[in-house]
Amino acid sequence: MAEEQRVLLKYADQIDPKIAEDYIKVGGYKGLEKARSMDRKALIEEVKKSGLRGRGGAGFNAGMKWSFVPILDEDRYVVCNFDEGEPGTYKDRIICEKNAQALLEGMAICGAAIASNHGYIYCRGEYPFVVETLKEGIQSAKASGALGDFNIEVRMGAGAYVCGEETALIESIEGHRGEPRFKPPFPGVAGLWAHPTVVNNVETFACLPYILTNGAEWFAGIGAAKYPGTKVLTLTGDVVNATYFEVPTDYNLRDVIYKLGGGVKGGKKLKAVQVGGTSGAFIPEQNLDTPIDFDSMSAIGASLGSGAVFVMDETRDIVDIVTRISKFFEHESCGKCNPCREGTWRCREIMEKINAGKAGQKDIDNLMILSRVMKNAALCGLGQAAPIPIDSTLQHFAYEYSCKLN
Ligand SMILES: Cc1cc2nc3c(=O)[nH]c(=O)nc-3n(C[C@H](O)[C@H](O)[C@H](O)COP(=O)(O)O)c2cc1C
Ligand code: SF4
């Protein structure tokens, strides 16, 4: 298998994402028309049947999430997570730059499912150009009548990685400091301004028009059975074609790197791949035949996460890279909970000591204890996932650590 399968990006560079009519000409907004003609519960069932799972990292079933939203006499909100702060990840930007109308249509489909006519897109602060595209795209979709009474507003983040966590994102939209909330209650029950709120990723929303237009079975038949559909990946690092691809979810990592990516730069050997962004596990060469879908990646102790694939060649210093990653987490920890606030700086401190050749086995033992505490006790996914690069490299690249111990 060496070909991409483009669904979301099929008309990339052929249509203007700012112009609703361009999208309508290639079949756009038919899915929303169908969704609005359906009973609300039947619509949720259709999305459940498609098997669509979140593309923002946690892989939760989208239809299931929507079904938890209580329909009482109060406002409900549809929130799109376009924070995309994970280093090496830019697939949501590509979807917005190439096919923003599919995102808008997907949000309105969700609105039809939960009886909401308010949508917010929370956009990464470093993406000012995309915000303009989105705003013009919304205006055009409203003017064409395609969105009907569904309204969408864009909110900008200020560059905090933690604001990608759904409850921190909600706090930020409300105008508060972006810190995660305790869960439960989950946003589906008490989210934005304590009202029921669905938060989904850009790519999750953008899949919906195609599911509604082509049918749930069609979508369920693409890629891996338990995580169907396509996935937009961004390939970075020591690889010949460092760009984005859309592939079916049963595509494997080796084909992503060697067939689509053209292999390791300069004909060098591959040392490791980190999948899912900074908090992803480091995967050694012997696991490259693993399909990229959520469950196959979990089975090897990794995660698909945001879909970033970072390639490291044989010359890369794994301990040095993990030390930099630990600095990133120390910097991005919001400080609300103890295990992460203290744990991330302590991880960074020990990693720097190892990297400088000043550490002994006792430091490695402490790192492992710290990692266990953070995974089990941190309040949100940031602190829970911060030790994953350390753990996975201690497991697969122990030799590189032992070379630096004194
Ligand atoms: C620290 C942290 C950062 C996150 N960043 C993002 C992000 O940039 N984009 C995103 O969609 N989800 C991100 N998530 C996951 C969200 O909390 C949430 O699970 C997701 O937006 C739900 O959408 P989905 O079900 O469509 O994937 C992040 C989670 C954590 C803990
Ligand atoms: S785990 Fe880290 S980022 Fe998350 S709430 Fe605790 S301190 Fe903040």
Side-chain angles (χ1 to χ4, degrees), residues 162 180 332-338 340-341 378-384:
V162 74
E332 295 296 341
S333 168
C334 81
K336 179 166 176 164
C337 74
N338 212 339
C340 171
R341 185 181 62 240
L379 172 60
C380 86
L382 189 151
Q384 292 157 8

Side-chain angles (χ1 to χ4, degrees), residues 54-56 65 81 83-85 164-166 199-201 204 381-382:
R55 302 304 202 230
K65 186 187 278 192
N81 191 339
D83 190 56
E84 195 157 66
E165 195 281 335
E166 57 186 6
V199 182
N200 275 132
N201 172 258
T204 315
L382 189 151

Side-chain angles (χ1 to χ4, degrees), residues 58 122 200 204 252 278 301 322 338 351 364:
Y122 186 85
N200 275 132
T204 315
N252 72 43
T278 331
V322 177
N338 212 339
M351 282 306 305
I364 301 273

Side-chain angles (χ1 to χ4, degrees), residues 53-62 65 79-86 89 91-92 160-169 180 183 199-205 227 279 306 329 380-385:
R53 288 169 64 184
R55 302 304 202 230
F60 198 80
N61 182 290
K65 186 187 278 192
V79 172
C80 170
N81 191 339
F82 183 25
D83 190 56
E84 195 157 66
E86 195 68 72
T89 307
K91 54 120 184 152
D92 292 338
Y161 172 71
V162 74
C163 284
E165 195 281 335
E166 57 186 6
T167 59
L169 181 154
K183 291 190 268 190
V199 182
N200 275 132
N201 172 258
V202 168
E203 192 177 359
T204 315
F205 281 124
Y227 187 87
S279 56
S306 59
F329 283 118
C380 86
L382 189 151
Q384 292 157 8

